[in-house]
Amino acid sequence: MQQSVLELMQSMGHEQVVFCQDPHTGLNAIIAIHNTTLGPSLGGTRLWNYNNHEDALIDALRLSRGMTYKSAISGLNLGGGKAVLIGDAAKLKSEAYWRRYGKFVNSLNGKYITAEDVNTSSADMEYIGMETEFVTGKPDYMGGSGDPSPLTAYGVYMGMKAAAKKAWGSDVLTDKKVLVQGAGNVGQYLMGHLVEEGAKVMICDINEAKIKQAKGKYPAIEVISNDNIFDREFDIYAPCALGATVNTESINKMKCPLIAGAANNQLADENIHGPMLVEKGIIYVPDFLINAGGIINISIELDGYNRDRALNTVGKIYNRTLEIFDLAEKESVHTQLAAMRIAEKRIKDIANIRVGK
Ligand code: NAD
């Protein structure tokens, strides 16, 4: 590793990083707490078979920082945190594994609150909840908010409509060609909104079962190959699979005027690819703004879950997206930077209020 853990934390502004391991259950975890100015750090637990510990650490650091921005821009009183668990989900998951992890989360006394993420489910949260109160995303029958994907997809749909208004003067998506990359949880709910509005949906996924499932639900969608997707013509690119798909190579090929999708860390390098998108005239809805529906949903669970309130709050992504476009234009910066500035300003302003107490 080029930089030590502390140097990485300093460069990205993290408050605390906790390493946990338990040989009995095979648990190896990194809990990254980025910033708790606005409130306790909240972010999902990702279980992934990383190539090495360094990749896992970088992922935890990047994702937790993203959560700080996501909560701050969404007006939530939450900080940014994220946990990554290292290993093969199929081999590791057990009651004891989750409860051991729950004990580690509990030892942080609420400074980190966990939730679902890649390879973790409401059922896993239920086990974690046996050892700590600092867990969200519990099943509906436990008073939880359940699967966050429908609300994340709704937020993406709202942000996409706002971007359409900016691009074409109308937010109507009827007949617009939208490529949804990733027919997973969020991708499929997003397709539902798009199909309902009469958009022409194209999808790609590396998992045949997901394609089959999506096509079964929405027979009108067009399935395309994963190869050379940017050689194709479409109006809106909705990345709903992986991060870093907006990079020098893809931007050079892109013919669509809009990018609006659910994936985290869509820009391979925000300093390079943010300005590159502006230069090419491609409107980009910042990832941490458009995909905040899940965290907004979960934040409502903390006050006692109410679905209508969740939908209403997630719907505000529409106006927030338009505000970011205005600010980006006014300050002549790319949209990701404009969104980061608003989030940073809120954190700074609230920190000042706290000092004055
Ligand atoms: P998911 O795992 O259910 O779906 C992802 C899909 O992408 C899978 O079907 C997978 O096969 C596919 N995929 C993986 N690599 C691909 C590739 N190279 N090309 C095409 N498809 C590929 O995940 P999800 O919950 O739907 O989340 C989608 C994205 O949105 C993720 O990046 C996630 O971090 C982000 N996100 C999700 C939520 C949420 O509420 N679930 C909230 C915020 C952000």
Side-chain angles (χ1 to χ4, degrees), residues 60-357:
L61 294 176
R62 285 193 73 185
L63 290 165
S64 56
R65 176 173 172 265
M67 291 310 296
T68 296
Y69 283 107
K70 200 179 291 199
S71 284
I73 200 145
S74 303
L76 306 178
N77 288 317
L78 291 171
K82 197 89 180 183
V84 303
L85 309 185
I86 303 160
D88 183 346
K91 290 190 188 140
L92 286 169
K93 281 192 178 200
S94 71
E95 177 187 352
Y97 179 84
W98 290 121
R99 291 181 70 167
R100 186 68 191 95
Y101 172 60
K103 268 195 170 304
F104 280 123
V105 170
N106 201 51
S107 71
L108 293 167
N109 282 320
K111 202 170 176 191
Y112 169 67
I113 304 172
T114 196
E116 296 149 302
D117 196 71
V118 177
N119 279 329
T120 53
S121 66
S122 297
D124 303 330
M125 298 304 121
E126 201 174 335
Y127 282 135
I128 294 170
M130 291 177 185
E131 302 299 334
T132 183
E133 64 186 280
F134 304 115
V135 55
T136 56
K138 284 182 283 189
D140 340 29
Y141 58 81
M142 289 180 76
S145 56
D147 176 10
S149 311
L151 273 290
T152 301
Y154 179 60
V156 172
Y157 175 59
M158 286 289 116
M160 188 184 283
K161 282 176 83 64
K165 190 167 174 59
K166 175 80 183 159
W168 300 297
S170 159
D171 66 11
V172 175
L173 297 174
T174 312
D175 289 333
K176 294 289 178 221
K177 254 191 164 183
V178 187
L179 170 62
V180 179
Q181 182 186 35
N185 292 318
V186 181
Q188 289 196 26
Y189 284 112
L190 177 62
M191 286 169 215
H193 291 294
L194 295 170
V195 166
E196 199 181 338
E197 200 181 328
K200 294 184 176 145
V201 180
M202 302 157 78
I203 66 160
C204 64
D205 198 298
I206 50 168
N207 183 335
E208 275 303 317
K210 293 283 175 188
I211 292 276
K212 218 172 143 194
Q213 198 180 43
K215 188 80 182 154
K217 282 188 198 165
Y218 312 109
I221 58 180
E222 182 192 351
V223 177
I224 66 163
S225 144
N226 290 301
D227 303 327
N228 307 318
I229 56 172
F230 296 109
D231 289 342
R232 292 179 175 264
E233 300 273 351
F234 44 86
D235 301 305
I236 303 171
Y237 168 49
C240 296
L242 314 162
T245 59
V246 182
N247 50 47
T248 304
E249 195 190 336
S250 64
I251 296 173
N252 278 332
K253 287 186 169 177
M254 268 181 214
K255 296 180 263 292
C256 58
L258 280 190
I259 303 173
N264 286 310
N265 300 324
Q266 291 171 30
L267 305 182
D269 183 329
E270 63 207 18
N271 298 319
I272 297 172
H273 303 113
M276 209 172 151
L277 289 170
V278 175
E279 217 166 282
K280 206 164 166 190
I282 298 174
I283 297 173
Y284 170 71
V285 188
D287 45 12
F288 62 85
L289 162 68
I290 195 170
N291 72 11
I295 186 84
I296 294 171
N297 192 44
I298 278 170
S299 75
I300 287 164
E301 182 177 333
L302 295 173
D303 301 332
Y305 190 62
N306 176 309
R307 187 72 166 186
D308 288 341
R309 194 175 148 214
L311 278 166
N312 191 281
T313 315
V314 173
K316 292 180 181 162
I317 289 177
Y318 183 98
N319 281 336
R320 212 169 283 129
T321 301
L322 292 176
E323 281 162 25
I324 294 298
F325 291 153
D326 285 348
L327 182 75
E329 239 169 54
K330 203 169 117 204
E331 299 197 351
S332 301
V333 294
H334 59 91
T335 52
Q336 186 89 352
L337 185 55
M340 286 170 75
R341 283 186 182 171
I342 291 204
E344 282 163 7
K345 181 174 180 319
R346 178 163 180 253
I347 294 170
K348 217 169 152 188
D349 288 350
I350 302 302
N352 276 333
I353 290 172
R354 300 249 158 94
V355 168
K357 244 197 246 176

